[in-house]
Amino acid sequence: MIRIGLSLLASIGLMQSSVAQDLVAEGRALYDKHCAACHSIDANRVGPAHRGVFGRKAGLAPGYRYSEALKRSSVTWDAKTLDAWLANPERVIPGQKMYADFEDPAVRQAIIEFLRTQK
């Protein structure tokens, strides 16, 4: 009985891992399609580089010229703040310079999960 339970738990863990990997892969594809024209993981472009965005205070990516609004902001990027930002950047930080938004929560979640892996 215990072996079956442990085996079932291991299988569930593998399924969850596979689902998470699929979501990250989907997020990478969506990032490439919708974000890469202005952003890169490792290089500042029209927008700042995104490597290490989780846990970083908004307006502090090295070498990027931010709007005054972002520099003054008290936002720290995590899943919740990134979701709000991707849904409506101007609502999160009025006066910012990003004019793209994503209405679909599933798209936002996938992009966020991809960004979470970019440490």
Side-chain angles (χ1 to χ4, degrees):
M1 182 78 146
I2 292 175
R3 282 189 180 169
I4 293 171
L6 292 176
S7 177
L8 179 61
L9 287 175
S11 295
I12 290 170
L14 289 174
M15 287 178 0
Q16 288 174 334
S17 176
S18 176
V19 169
Q21 289 173 352
D22 290 348
L23 186 59
V24 169
E26 180 184 355
R28 175 183 286 281
L30 289 165
Y31 181 91
D32 289 344
K33 180 178 180 181
H34 297 291
C35 307
C38 295
H39 292 277
S40 166
I41 293 301
D42 291 312
N44 293 323
R45 292 185 179 168
V46 172
H50 282 144
R51 185 165 311 279
V53 71
F54 266 78
R56 183 170 67 210
K57 186 178 177 301
L60 292 183
Y64 185 75
R65 275 183 70 184
Y66 284 96
S67 65
E68 288 302 316
L70 265 136
K71 286 192 254 183
R72 289 190 310 264
S73 140
S74 62
V75 171
T76 298
W77 300 121
D78 60 20
K80 184 178 177 180
T81 56
L82 284 167
D83 184 58
W85 173 261
L86 291 173
N88 187 333
E90 188 64 19
R91 185 179 304 142
V92 176
I93 303 174
Q96 53 73 48
K97 300 186 296 187
M98 186 170 118
Y99 300 105
D101 55 44
F102 300 87
E103 291 181 17
D104 186 340
V107 169
R108 295 193 309 266
Q109 180 187 12
I111 292 171
I112 290 165
E113 290 309 313
F114 167 66
L115 290 173
R116 186 189 307 269
T117 67
Q118 303 306 301
K119 299 176 181 173

